[in-house]
Each structure stands twice: as structure tokens, then as C-alpha cells.
Amino acid sequence: MDQLALLFLLLLGAVVTVPLGERLGLPAPVLMTLAGIVMALLPFVPNVEIAPEYILPLVLPPLLYAAVQRTSWRQFAANIRPILLLAVALVFVTMAAVAAVAGALVPGLPLAAAIALGALVAPPDPVAATAVAGSLGLPRRLVSILEGEGLFNDVTAIVLYHVAIAAAVSGTFSWPVAVGELFLSALVAVVVGFGLGWMTDKLMGYLDDATLQISLTLLAPFVAYVLAEEFKGSGVLAVLVIALYLAEHAVDADDVLGRIAGRTFWQIVDTLVTGVAFGLIGLELHNVFGTAEDRLGAMLGWGAAIVGVVVGVRLAWLLPATWLAKRLHTLRDYDEDIPVSWRETVVMWWSGMRGVASVALALAIPLRTADGSPFPARDEIIFIAFAVILTTLVVQGLTLPWLVRRLGVRADTGVERELEHELAVRAAKAAKRRLKEIQDVEELPEDVLERLLRGAFDIGARISPEIVDEERREAYAQRVERMKSVHRIQREMMSAARHEVLSARNEPGADPEVVDRVLHHLDVRSLR
């Protein structure tokens, strides 16, 4: 089996593990990691050969961009304090603790390399956390914190990682220089992200085609990452900024087909890239154990110690930090997402799985320093990093569903229904206001006006039937049943039409392009 066949096998696994995970009640990323581990043990499966400098630019931009699509800048801004307190600060604490313990345990590990190890194992993975938490029915506020933590932790950790790697390669390390590089990296990334976001938004207006617009959104995160790195900035932060900018600005409320197509496209990208990335985590197991050779016992001990540090520091930090966040929240009455009970705090602690970012950073460690000598303790760093990744991902990923059920942490469906009800009322009122504006300038027949008013009412009632009283709700339910019957018959009629058009493809003299154009019109009509 060659590398290309292995790639396609991972892509197939990425697709298959999604429905399999739903049936087994297990997260798809965890299943892909287990599949990769099994494949790594098979003699005919080759070792993965990926140049370290290509891993971060190829894997992280699409995953981060897809993750940001599920949130918004306003949500980040509203939760900036818990994110900084519960997330970003935790990266520094974890990095320092890991660097101290690793420096004491691993012989010949210099300070800069120890800090690089701490930085790459510090950030929980936003993809793993979201994939696991999203399938467990957790409260939305908890999922929001995990998403924000994962994204901002990646940015913080990767910048620190690059500073530490540069120091290890050059052989010199200065805290003032490191802090200066940290701020400069962030500033460059923000400028690049906003600049490219503005340009992309303008280009989207000129590209009056959903295919071209989606293609542009695919290129945007890669361009932002590479351009920021060229100017010594944080590529990850640049991707985060451009994704948030486009999520806020490049939105056309009337572009229904473009929005549906774009969402579907990014779900496909997210599924495939995530599956391949987590499959590679398992496949790297063979290479990682190969580096241990006759030091396996000692390296397993180091890995277990660092795992204990990573997991223990997270709990030791989250308990007081969550108490402080709740205290500040009560005193100042901020509208922000925080864990509201010790049960949610425990779930948040156990959701700190490491994943794609940590793997990419570990494998991206240079082979040699500036003077041509081997990078200090590179094999030990990679082994310890994978011990942390596999332990947290597999053990925590497999047991988190059980823990959530045991603690009884569930989403507050009442709050979600209340918000849905409020949005339904606003949507119906907006439709009625627009109808009144049209009625003021156009003369509408009475029967048409009555039908349009009923349609405006139906907009809200379809979303949230609770907006109507009991008597009207019964009448509406009867009308919905009649409309369901009509829609069912319409679907069958459109299906017959599509089958007829498709059958024309095989007829003599048929033009496939014309057939596809007619079929597209029928598909759009069916969608509407």
C-alpha cells in the first residue's frame, strides 16, 4: 500500500465513522484515532511520510475556519472574560507546569525545548471538543466555552510554540524578545486577517455565483495563514480573524442557495479533514514507538508524568477559575457563558482532549538546529506529546459520554425554546411589516391580501407553534396537515418530472448539458 492509497483509505474512514459513531454513541474523531492505531499495527500499512513544514498550513486553516462558522464575533466578545480566565491563562499555566516537570525528568532537555513541549500539549482541541460535546446534548453555554477555549488556546499555544522553537533552533532565549515577538506576531495576524477579510468581502460582491464564492472562502483561510506567516505573524490568529470577519460581513440574507451550498461544502471539508487528521494521530503510533527503542520504559514513565500534569493542572485551574468567574458574573451581572455548577465544571475539565493542533505542532518540530546539530530531545518530545494526545483523546473521549450521563448535565431546552419562540415572533412581525409597506404603495385584491397575511402568520407558527392561542393552534394544525398532504403530492409530482428528465439522458440525440440545465431548474423548484 502506498501513501496515496493510505490517504484515500483515511478519507473513506472519515465518512464511515460518522454514522458508525452515531450508532455506537461514540465520537467519530475518537473512532478514527482507534482505526489509525489498528492500521499502524498492520505490516502492510506504510509509515506516514509528511514533511513537517506542510502539516500546519494544510491541516489547521480549514479546520479552524469550519469551527468558526459555528460561532460569531459577538459571542466571543460577550465571553471574552471567561475565555481569557478559563482558557488562555490556562495555556500559560499548563505550559509552565509541563516545562518544569519535563525539564526535571528528561535528561538533556533545554529550557526552550521544554517550553515548546509545554506549548504543544497545552491547548485542548476545538475540533475534538466540539465533535464530542455537540453529540452529547450539553448546554449551549458549555459548548460555547469549549469552542472559544479551543480556538483561542490554539492561537496562544501556537504563537508560544513558534517563539520557543525559534529559541531552541538559534540556541538563545530572551524573555523580553519573546514577549515582543508574541505581541508583534499577534499584531501582524490581526492586520492580515482584517485586510484579507475586507478584500474577500468585496470580491464576494463581484462574484455573482455560489460556486465561485465558495471557492473563494476555501482559499481565504489558506491565504491568510501563509501571508501572516510570511510577515512573521500568527497564521492561526489570522485565520481566526478572517473567519470571524466574513461570518459577520459576507452574509446575504436572500442568498438561500449559496448559504445552503456553502454550509454543506464546509461540513464536507470539516468531516474529511478532521477524519484524516485524527486517523494520522493513530497511524503515527508506529513511528512514535520506533523512536523509543530500548528506552521505552523510561519514556512511558515520562509520558505518564506529563499526562498527569496536563490533566491535573486543568482541574486545579478550572475549579477556582470557575468560582471566580461566577463571582464576577454575580457582582457585575454580565451576559456571558460560564459553567453554573460543579458538574458542568467537571465535564469541562474532562473535555480537555488534545488533538489535531498538538499533533501538527509535534510533527512540525524541525529536525536540526541552526548549527546543523539534531534538535535537542526531538524524539522524546514527540513521544511524550503523543502519549498526552492519545491518552486524553481516547480515554477521555470514550468516557466523556458516560460521565455526562452520570452527572446529568443536559442542555436547557426551555431556554432554547424560549429563544426560538422569540425569533419566530420577530420573523412573523418583520414579514407583516413588509407586507404593510407593500400594501401602502400597491393595491392588493382582498383574497390575495388575506392569503399573504396568513402566510406571514405561518412564518412564525411553523417555527414555534406556541405563538398562537389554543383555538387558533388547532385550526393551524389542521391547515398544516392539509399543506403536508399537498406538499407530499407536489414532491411526488416533482419526482416524476425529475425521473422523466433524467431518463432523457440515455435517449439518442439527447444533450447532457441541456438535460442537466433543466434538471437544475427542477431541483431549485423542489428546494423552494
Side-chain angles (χ1 to χ4, degrees), residues 209-231:
D209 182 85
T211 303
L212 298 177
Q213 290 175 343
I214 294 171
S215 301
L216 185 60
T217 63
L218 176 62
L219 293 174
F222 290 104
V223 174
Y225 186 96
V226 173
L227 192 60
E229 292 288 329
E230 283 292 317
F231 290 104

mmCIF file with all atom_site columns, all heavy atoms in Angstrom, residues 209-231:
data_model
loop_
_atom_site.group_PDB
_atom_site.id
_atom_site.type_symbol
_atom_site.label_atom_id
_atom_site.label_alt_id
_atom_site.label_comp_id
_atom_site.label_asym_id
_atom_site.label_entity_id
_atom_site.label_seq_id
_atom_site.pdbx_PDB_ins_code
_atom_site.Cartn_x
_atom_site.Cartn_y
_atom_site.Cartn_z
_atom_site.occupancy
_atom_site.B_iso_or_equiv
_atom_site.pdbx_formal_charge
_atom_site.auth_seq_id
_atom_site.auth_comp_id
_atom_site.auth_asym_id
_atom_site.auth_atom_id
_atom_site.pdbx_PDB_model_num
ATOM 1   N N   . ASP A 1 209 ? -21.892 34.191 -8.194  1.00 0.00 ? 209 ASP A N   1
ATOM 2   C CA  . ASP A 1 209 ? -22.045 32.757 -8.450  1.00 0.00 ? 209 ASP A CA  1
ATOM 3   C C   . ASP A 1 209 ? -21.641 32.012 -7.186  1.00 0.00 ? 209 ASP A C   1
ATOM 4   O O   . ASP A 1 209 ? -20.550 32.231 -6.635  1.00 0.00 ? 209 ASP A O   1
ATOM 5   C CB  . ASP A 1 209 ? -21.158 32.332 -9.629  1.00 0.00 ? 209 ASP A CB  1
ATOM 6   C CG  . ASP A 1 209 ? -21.323 30.861 -9.956  1.00 0.00 ? 209 ASP A CG  1
ATOM 7   O OD1 . ASP A 1 209 ? -22.255 30.516 -10.697 1.00 0.00 ? 209 ASP A OD1 1
ATOM 8   O OD2 . ASP A 1 209 ? -20.512 30.054 -9.458  1.00 0.00 ? 209 ASP A OD2 1
ATOM 9   N N   . ALA A 1 210 ? -22.504 31.134 -6.723  1.00 0.00 ? 210 ALA A N   1
ATOM 10  C CA  . ALA A 1 210 ? -22.257 30.432 -5.458  1.00 0.00 ? 210 ALA A CA  1
ATOM 11  C C   . ALA A 1 210 ? -20.993 29.578 -5.528  1.00 0.00 ? 210 ALA A C   1
ATOM 12  O O   . ALA A 1 210 ? -20.239 29.496 -4.552  1.00 0.00 ? 210 ALA A O   1
ATOM 13  C CB  . ALA A 1 210 ? -23.457 29.559 -5.098  1.00 0.00 ? 210 ALA A CB  1
ATOM 14  N N   . THR A 1 211 ? -20.740 28.960 -6.684  1.00 0.00 ? 211 THR A N   1
ATOM 15  C CA  . THR A 1 211 ? -19.558 28.108 -6.825  1.00 0.00 ? 211 THR A CA  1
ATOM 16  C C   . THR A 1 211 ? -18.277 28.912 -6.626  1.00 0.00 ? 211 THR A C   1
ATOM 17  O O   . THR A 1 211 ? -17.361 28.499 -5.913  1.00 0.00 ? 211 THR A O   1
ATOM 18  C CB  . THR A 1 211 ? -19.549 27.434 -8.203  1.00 0.00 ? 211 THR A CB  1
ATOM 19  O OG1 . THR A 1 211 ? -20.748 26.688 -8.374  1.00 0.00 ? 211 THR A OG1 1
ATOM 20  C CG2 . THR A 1 211 ? -18.356 26.505 -8.337  1.00 0.00 ? 211 THR A CG2 1
ATOM 21  N N   . LEU A 1 212 ? -18.211 30.094 -7.268  1.00 0.00 ? 212 LEU A N   1
ATOM 22  C CA  . LEU A 1 212 ? -17.021 30.934 -7.143  1.00 0.00 ? 212 LEU A CA  1
ATOM 23  C C   . LEU A 1 212 ? -16.881 31.499 -5.735  1.00 0.00 ? 212 LEU A C   1
ATOM 24  O O   . LEU A 1 212 ? -15.773 31.602 -5.205  1.00 0.00 ? 212 LEU A O   1
ATOM 25  C CB  . LEU A 1 212 ? -17.080 32.078 -8.169  1.00 0.00 ? 212 LEU A CB  1
ATOM 26  C CG  . LEU A 1 212 ? -17.093 31.658 -9.641  1.00 0.00 ? 212 LEU A CG  1
ATOM 27  C CD1 . LEU A 1 212 ? -17.227 32.878 -10.541 1.00 0.00 ? 212 LEU A CD1 1
ATOM 28  C CD2 . LEU A 1 212 ? -15.832 30.880 -9.989  1.00 0.00 ? 212 LEU A CD2 1
ATOM 29  N N   . GLN A 1 213 ? -17.999 31.866 -5.129  1.00 0.00 ? 213 GLN A N   1
ATOM 30  C CA  . GLN A 1 213 ? -17.945 32.411 -3.778  1.00 0.00 ? 213 GLN A CA  1
ATOM 31  C C   . GLN A 1 213 ? -17.450 31.370 -2.780  1.00 0.00 ? 213 GLN A C   1
ATOM 32  O O   . GLN A 1 213 ? -16.629 31.660 -1.909  1.00 0.00 ? 213 GLN A O   1
ATOM 33  C CB  . GLN A 1 213 ? -19.329 32.924 -3.371  1.00 0.00 ? 213 GLN A CB  1
ATOM 34  C CG  . GLN A 1 213 ? -19.765 34.170 -4.125  1.00 0.00 ? 213 GLN A CG  1
ATOM 35  C CD  . GLN A 1 213 ? -21.185 34.582 -3.784  1.00 0.00 ? 213 GLN A CD  1
ATOM 36  O OE1 . GLN A 1 213 ? -21.955 33.800 -3.239  1.00 0.00 ? 213 GLN A OE1 1
ATOM 37  N NE2 . GLN A 1 213 ? -21.544 35.809 -4.130  1.00 0.00 ? 213 GLN A NE2 1
ATOM 38  N N   . ILE A 1 214 ? -17.935 30.146 -2.904  1.00 0.00 ? 214 ILE A N   1
ATOM 39  C CA  . ILE A 1 214 ? -17.496 29.083 -2.001  1.00 0.00 ? 214 ILE A CA  1
ATOM 40  C C   . ILE A 1 214 ? -16.019 28.773 -2.241  1.00 0.00 ? 214 ILE A C   1
ATOM 41  O O   . ILE A 1 214 ? -15.257 28.536 -1.293  1.00 0.00 ? 214 ILE A O   1
ATOM 42  C CB  . ILE A 1 214 ? -18.362 27.821 -2.195  1.00 0.00 ? 214 ILE A CB  1
ATOM 43  C CG1 . ILE A 1 214 ? -19.798 28.112 -1.762  1.00 0.00 ? 214 ILE A CG1 1
ATOM 44  C CG2 . ILE A 1 214 ? -17.801 26.651 -1.381  1.00 0.00 ? 214 ILE A CG2 1
ATOM 45  C CD1 . ILE A 1 214 ? -20.778 27.018 -2.120  1.00 0.00 ? 214 ILE A CD1 1
ATOM 46  N N   . SER A 1 215 ? -15.596 28.793 -3.507  1.00 0.00 ? 215 SER A N   1
ATOM 47  C CA  . SER A 1 215 ? -14.179 28.577 -3.824  1.00 0.00 ? 215 SER A CA  1
ATOM 48  C C   . SER A 1 215 ? -13.317 29.637 -3.159  1.00 0.00 ? 215 SER A C   1
ATOM 49  O O   . SER A 1 215 ? -12.220 29.347 -2.650  1.00 0.00 ? 215 SER A O   1
ATOM 50  C CB  . SER A 1 215 ? -13.967 28.602 -5.340  1.00 0.00 ? 215 SER A CB  1
ATOM 51  O OG  . SER A 1 215 ? -14.731 27.609 -5.977  1.00 0.00 ? 215 SER A OG  1
ATOM 52  N N   . LEU A 1 216 ? -13.808 30.873 -3.144  1.00 0.00 ? 216 LEU A N   1
ATOM 53  C CA  . LEU A 1 216 ? -13.059 31.959 -2.508  1.00 0.00 ? 216 LEU A CA  1
ATOM 54  C C   . LEU A 1 216 ? -12.956 31.744 -0.998  1.00 0.00 ? 216 LEU A C   1
ATOM 55  O O   . LEU A 1 216 ? -11.898 31.986 -0.405  1.00 0.00 ? 216 LEU A O   1
ATOM 56  C CB  . LEU A 1 216 ? -13.735 33.295 -2.811  1.00 0.00 ? 216 LEU A CB  1
ATOM 57  C CG  . LEU A 1 216 ? -13.015 34.555 -2.327  1.00 0.00 ? 216 LEU A CG  1
ATOM 58  C CD1 . LEU A 1 216 ? -11.630 34.658 -2.958  1.00 0.00 ? 216 LEU A CD1 1
ATOM 59  C CD2 . LEU A 1 216 ? -13.840 35.795 -2.654  1.00 0.00 ? 216 LEU A CD2 1
ATOM 60  N N   . THR A 1 217 ? -14.040 31.285 -0.375  1.00 0.00 ? 217 THR A N   1
ATOM 61  C CA  . THR A 1 217 ? -13.975 31.036 1.063   1.00 0.00 ? 217 THR A CA  1
ATOM 62  C C   . THR A 1 217 ? -13.030 29.870 1.386   1.00 0.00 ? 217 THR A C   1
ATOM 63  O O   . THR A 1 217 ? -12.459 29.828 2.483   1.00 0.00 ? 217 THR A O   1
ATOM 64  C CB  . THR A 1 217 ? -15.368 30.715 1.643   1.00 0.00 ? 217 THR A CB  1
ATOM 65  O OG1 . THR A 1 217 ? -15.877 29.504 1.066   1.00 0.00 ? 217 THR A OG1 1
ATOM 66  C CG2 . THR A 1 217 ? -16.337 31.858 1.387   1.00 0.00 ? 217 THR A CG2 1
ATOM 67  N N   . LEU A 1 218 ? -12.855 28.942 0.444   1.00 0.00 ? 218 LEU A N   1
ATOM 68  C CA  . LEU A 1 218 ? -11.906 27.854 0.655   1.00 0.00 ? 218 LEU A CA  1
ATOM 69  C C   . LEU A 1 218 ? -10.471 28.364 0.605   1.00 0.00 ? 218 LEU A C   1
ATOM 70  O O   . LEU A 1 218 ? -9.614  27.950 1.393   1.00 0.00 ? 218 LEU A O   1
ATOM 71  C CB  . LEU A 1 218 ? -12.110 26.754 -0.394  1.00 0.00 ? 218 LEU A CB  1
ATOM 72  C CG  . LEU A 1 218 ? -11.115 25.586 -0.350  1.00 0.00 ? 218 LEU A CG  1
ATOM 73  C CD1 . LEU A 1 218 ? -11.216 24.847 0.981   1.00 0.00 ? 218 LEU A CD1 1
ATOM 74  C CD2 . LEU A 1 218 ? -11.354 24.630 -1.503  1.00 0.00 ? 218 LEU A CD2 1
ATOM 75  N N   . LEU A 1 219 ? -10.197 29.295 -0.325  1.00 0.00 ? 219 LEU A N   1
ATOM 76  C CA  . LEU A 1 219 ? -8.843  29.825 -0.457  1.00 0.00 ? 219 LEU A CA  1
ATOM 77  C C   . LEU A 1 219 ? -8.488  30.802 0.662   1.00 0.00 ? 219 LEU A C   1
ATOM 78  O O   . LEU A 1 219 ? -7.320  30.895 1.063   1.00 0.00 ? 219 LEU A O   1
ATOM 79  C CB  . LEU A 1 219 ? -8.696  30.535 -1.814  1.00 0.00 ? 219 LEU A CB  1
ATOM 80  C CG  . LEU A 1 219 ? -8.757  29.659 -3.062  1.00 0.00 ? 219 LEU A CG  1
ATOM 81  C CD1 . LEU A 1 219 ? -8.734  30.521 -4.309  1.00 0.00 ? 219 LEU A CD1 1
ATOM 82  C CD2 . LEU A 1 219 ? -7.591  28.675 -3.080  1.00 0.00 ? 219 LEU A CD2 1
ATOM 83  N N   . ALA A 1 220 ? -9.492  31.551 1.145   1.00 0.00 ? 220 ALA A N   1
ATOM 84  C CA  . ALA A 1 220 ? -9.225  32.641 2.094   1.00 0.00 ? 220 ALA A CA  1
ATOM 85  C C   . ALA A 1 220 ? -8.435  32.200 3.326   1.00 0.00 ? 220 ALA A C   1
ATOM 86  O O   . ALA A 1 220 ? -7.439  32.853 3.678   1.00 0.00 ? 220 ALA A O   1
ATOM 87  C CB  . ALA A 1 220 ? -10.544 33.303 2.499   1.00 0.00 ? 220 ALA A CB  1
ATOM 88  N N   . PRO A 1 221 ? -8.812  31.127 4.033   1.00 0.00 ? 221 PRO A N   1
ATOM 89  C CA  . PRO A 1 221 ? -8.038  30.763 5.234   1.00 0.00 ? 221 PRO A CA  1
ATOM 90  C C   . PRO A 1 221 ? -6.606  30.349 4.933   1.00 0.00 ? 221 PRO A C   1
ATOM 91  O O   . PRO A 1 221 ? -5.701  30.659 5.704   1.00 0.00 ? 221 PRO A O   1
ATOM 92  C CB  . PRO A 1 221 ? -8.845  29.605 5.843   1.00 0.00 ? 221 PRO A CB  1
ATOM 93  C CG  . PRO A 1 221 ? -9.713  29.086 4.753   1.00 0.00 ? 221 PRO A CG  1
ATOM 94  C CD  . PRO A 1 221 ? -9.988  30.244 3.859   1.00 0.00 ? 221 PRO A CD  1
ATOM 95  N N   . PHE A 1 222 ? -6.392  29.670 3.801   1.00 0.00 ? 222 PHE A N   1
ATOM 96  C CA  . PHE A 1 222 ? -5.026  29.284 3.444   1.00 0.00 ? 222 PHE A CA  1
ATOM 97  C C   . PHE A 1 222 ? -4.170  30.510 3.130   1.00 0.00 ? 222 PHE A C   1
ATOM 98  O O   . PHE A 1 222 ? -3.016  30.609 3.561   1.00 0.00 ? 222 PHE A O   1
ATOM 99  C CB  . PHE A 1 222 ? -5.045  28.341 2.236   1.00 0.00 ? 222 PHE A CB  1
ATOM 100 C CG  . PHE A 1 222 ? -5.589  26.975 2.536   1.00 0.00 ? 222 PHE A CG  1
ATOM 101 C CD1 . PHE A 1 222 ? -6.860  26.619 2.139   1.00 0.00 ? 222 PHE A CD1 1
ATOM 102 C CD2 . PHE A 1 222 ? -4.835  26.037 3.227   1.00 0.00 ? 222 PHE A CD2 1
ATOM 103 C CE1 . PHE A 1 222 ? -7.376  25.362 2.411   1.00 0.00 ? 222 PHE A CE1 1
ATOM 104 C CE2 . PHE A 1 222 ? -5.338  24.778 3.508   1.00 0.00 ? 222 PHE A CE2 1
ATOM 105 C CZ  . PHE A 1 222 ? -6.611  24.434 3.091   1.00 0.00 ? 222 PHE A CZ  1
ATOM 106 N N   . VAL A 1 223 ? -4.738  31.452 2.368   1.00 0.00 ? 223 VAL A N   1
ATOM 107 C CA  . VAL A 1 223 ? -4.003  32.670 2.026   1.00 0.00 ? 223 VAL A CA  1
ATOM 108 C C   . VAL A 1 223 ? -3.690  33.463 3.294   1.00 0.00 ? 223 VAL A C   1
ATOM 109 O O   . VAL A 1 223 ? -2.574  33.975 3.469   1.00 0.00 ? 223 VAL A O   1
ATOM 110 C CB  . VAL A 1 223 ? -4.812  33.535 1.034   1.00 0.00 ? 223 VAL A CB  1
ATOM 111 C CG1 . VAL A 1 223 ? -4.115  34.868 0.784   1.00 0.00 ? 223 VAL A CG1 1
ATOM 112 C CG2 . VAL A 1 223 ? -5.002  32.792 -0.287  1.00 0.00 ? 223 VAL A CG2 1
ATOM 113 N N   . ALA A 1 224 ? -4.666  33.584 4.183   1.00 0.00 ? 224 ALA A N   1
ATOM 114 C CA  . ALA A 1 224 ? -4.448  34.322 5.435   1.00 0.00 ? 224 ALA A CA  1
ATOM 115 C C   . ALA A 1 224 ? -3.339  33.678 6.253   1.00 0.00 ? 224 ALA A C   1
ATOM 116 O O   . ALA A 1 224 ? -2.463  34.377 6.797   1.00 0.00 ? 224 ALA A O   1
ATOM 117 C CB  . ALA A 1 224 ? -5.750  34.370 6.239   1.00 0.00 ? 224 ALA A CB  1
ATOM 118 N N   . TYR A 1 225 ? -3.358  32.363 6.340   1.00 0.00 ? 225 TYR A N   1
ATOM 119 C CA  . TYR A 1 225 ? -2.333  31.661 7.130   1.00 0.00 ? 225 TYR A CA  1
ATOM 120 C C   . TYR A 1 225 ? -0.946  31.879 6.544   1.00 0.00 ? 225 TYR A C   1
ATOM 121 O O   . TYR A 1 225 ? -0.007  32.278 7.254   1.00 0.00 ? 225 TYR A O   1
ATOM 122 C CB  . TYR A 1 225 ? -2.651  30.163 7.172   1.00 0.00 ? 225 TYR A CB  1
ATOM 123 C CG  . TYR A 1 225 ? -1.728  29.379 8.073   1.00 0.00 ? 225 TYR A CG  1
ATOM 124 C CD1 . TYR A 1 225 ? -2.098  29.092 9.380   1.00 0.00 ? 225 TYR A CD1 1
ATOM 125 C CD2 . TYR A 1 225 ? -0.487  28.939 7.633   1.00 0.00 ? 225 TYR A CD2 1
ATOM 126 C CE1 . TYR A 1 225 ? -1.243  28.377 10.227  1.00 0.00 ? 225 TYR A CE1 1
ATOM 127 C CE2 . TYR A 1 225 ? 0.373   28.238 8.462   1.00 0.00 ? 225 TYR A CE2 1
ATOM 128 C CZ  . TYR A 1 225 ? -0.011  27.953 9.749   1.00 0.00 ? 225 TYR A CZ  1
ATOM 129 O OH  . TYR A 1 225 ? 0.844   27.268 10.574  1.00 0.00 ? 225 TYR A OH  1
ATOM 130 N N   . VAL A 1 226 ? -0.799  31.637 5.238   1.00 0.00 ? 226 VAL A N   1
ATOM 131 C CA  . VAL A 1 226 ? 0.518   31.729 4.601   1.00 0.00 ? 226 VAL A CA  1
ATOM 132 C C   . VAL A 1 226 ? 1.033   33.160 4.612   1.00 0.00 ? 226 VAL A C   1
ATOM 133 O O   . VAL A 1 226 ? 2.215   33.418 4.892   1.00 0.00 ? 226 VAL A O   1
ATOM 134 C CB  . VAL A 1 226 ? 0.442   31.184 3.161   1.00 0.00 ? 226 VAL A CB  1
ATOM 135 C CG1 . VAL A 1 226 ? 1.756   31.430 2.425   1.00 0.00 ? 226 VAL A CG1 1
ATOM 136 C CG2 . VAL A 1 226 ? 0.117   29.693 3.169   1.00 0.00 ? 226 VAL A CG2 1
ATOM 137 N N   . LEU A 1 227 ? 0.154   34.129 4.304   1.00 0.00 ? 227 LEU A N   1
ATOM 138 C CA  . LEU A 1 227 ? 0.578   35.523 4.258   1.00 0.00 ? 227 LEU A CA  1
ATOM 139 C C   . LEU A 1 227 ? 1.016   36.006 5.638   1.00 0.00 ? 227 LEU A C   1
ATOM 140 O O   . LEU A 1 227 ? 2.030   36.709 5.772   1.00 0.00 ? 227 LEU A O   1
ATOM 141 C CB  . LEU A 1 227 ? -0.563  36.394 3.724   1.00 0.00 ? 227 LEU A CB  1
ATOM 142 C CG  . LEU A 1 227 ? -0.207  37.832 3.333   1.00 0.00 ? 227 LEU A CG  1
ATOM 143 C CD1 . LEU A 1 227 ? 0.845   37.834 2.233   1.00 0.00 ? 227 LEU A CD1 1
ATOM 144 C CD2 . LEU A 1 227 ? -1.454  38.581 2.869   1.00 0.00 ? 227 LEU A CD2 1
ATOM 145 N N   . ALA A 1 228 ? 0.267   35.658 6.677   1.00 0.00 ? 228 ALA A N   1
ATOM 146 C CA  . ALA A 1 228 ? 0.651   36.061 8.036   1.00 0.00 ? 228 ALA A CA  1
ATOM 147 C C   . ALA A 1 228 ? 1.993   35.451 8.418   1.00 0.00 ? 228 ALA A C   1
ATOM 148 O O   . ALA A 1 228 ? 2.848   36.133 9.016   1.00 0.00 ? 228 ALA A O   1
ATOM 149 C CB  . ALA A 1 228 ? -0.437  35.647 9.024   1.00 0.00 ? 228 ALA A CB  1
ATOM 150 N N   . GLU A 1 229 ? 2.205   34.178 8.082   1.00 0.00 ? 229 GLU A N   1
ATOM 151 C CA  . GLU A 1 229 ? 3.476   33.533 8.409   1.00 0.00 ? 229 GLU A CA  1
ATOM 152 C C   . GLU A 1 229 ? 4.639   34.177 7.657   1.00 0.00 ? 229 GLU A C   1
ATOM 153 O O   . GLU A 1 229 ? 5.751   34.274 8.185   1.00 0.00 ? 229 GLU A O   1
ATOM 154 C CB  . GLU A 1 229 ? 3.396   32.037 8.069   1.00 0.00 ? 229 GLU A CB  1
ATOM 155 C CG  . GLU A 1 229 ? 2.458   31.236 8.949   1.00 0.00 ? 229 GLU A CG  1
ATOM 156 C CD  . GLU A 1 229 ? 3.002   31.036 10.353  1.00 0.00 ? 229 GLU A CD  1
ATOM 157 O OE1 . GLU A 1 229 ? 4.234   30.964 10.518  1.00 0.00 ? 229 GLU A OE1 1
ATOM 158 O OE2 . GLU A 1 229 ? 2.178   30.974 11.293  1.00 0.00 ? 229 GLU A OE2 1
ATOM 159 N N   . GLU A 1 230 ? 4.391   34.627 6.417   1.00 0.00 ? 230 GLU A N   1
ATOM 160 C CA  . GLU A 1 230 ? 5.438   35.288 5.637   1.00 0.00 ? 230 GLU A CA  1
ATOM 161 C C   . GLU A 1 230 ? 5.912   36.569 6.315   1.00 0.00 ? 230 GLU A C   1
ATOM 162 O O   . GLU A 1 230 ? 7.086   36.933 6.232   1.00 0.00 ? 230 GLU A O   1
ATOM 163 C CB  . GLU A 1 230 ? 4.928   35.610 4.228   1.00 0.00 ? 230 GLU A CB  1
ATOM 164 C CG  . GLU A 1 230 ? 4.888   34.433 3.288   1.00 0.00 ? 230 GLU A CG  1
ATOM 165 C CD  . GLU A 1 230 ? 6.289   33.940 2.946   1.00 0.00 ? 230 GLU A CD  1
ATOM 166 O OE1 . GLU A 1 230 ? 7.176   34.776 2.689   1.00 0.00 ? 230 GLU A OE1 1
ATOM 167 O OE2 . GLU A 1 230 ? 6.498   32.712 2.965   1.00 0.00 ? 230 GLU A OE2 1
ATOM 168 N N   . PHE A 1 231 ? 5.001   37.272 6.979   1.00 0.00 ? 231 PHE A N   1
ATOM 169 C CA  . PHE A 1 231 ? 5.338   38.523 7.659   1.00 0.00 ? 231 PHE A CA  1
ATOM 170 C C   . PHE A 1 231 ? 5.600   38.308 9.149   1.00 0.00 ? 231 PHE A C   1
ATOM 171 O O   . PHE A 1 231 ? 5.471   39.243 9.951   1.00 0.00 ? 231 PHE A O   1
ATOM 172 C CB  . PHE A 1 231 ? 4.217   39.546 7.469   1.00 0.00 ? 231 PHE A CB  1
ATOM 173 C CG  . PHE A 1 231 ? 4.101   40.062 6.063   1.00 0.00 ? 231 PHE A CG  1
ATOM 174 C CD1 . PHE A 1 231 ? 3.091   39.625 5.225   1.00 0.00 ? 231 PHE A CD1 1
ATOM 175 C CD2 . PHE A 1 231 ? 5.014   40.979 5.579   1.00 0.00 ? 231 PHE A CD2 1
ATOM 176 C CE1 . PHE A 1 231 ? 2.979   40.093 3.928   1.00 0.00 ? 231 PHE A CE1 1
ATOM 177 C CE2 . PHE A 1 231 ? 4.924   41.450 4.276   1.00 0.00 ? 231 PHE A CE2 1
ATOM 178 C CZ  . PHE A 1 231 ? 3.910   41.018 3.447   1.00 0.00 ? 231 PHE A CZ  1
#
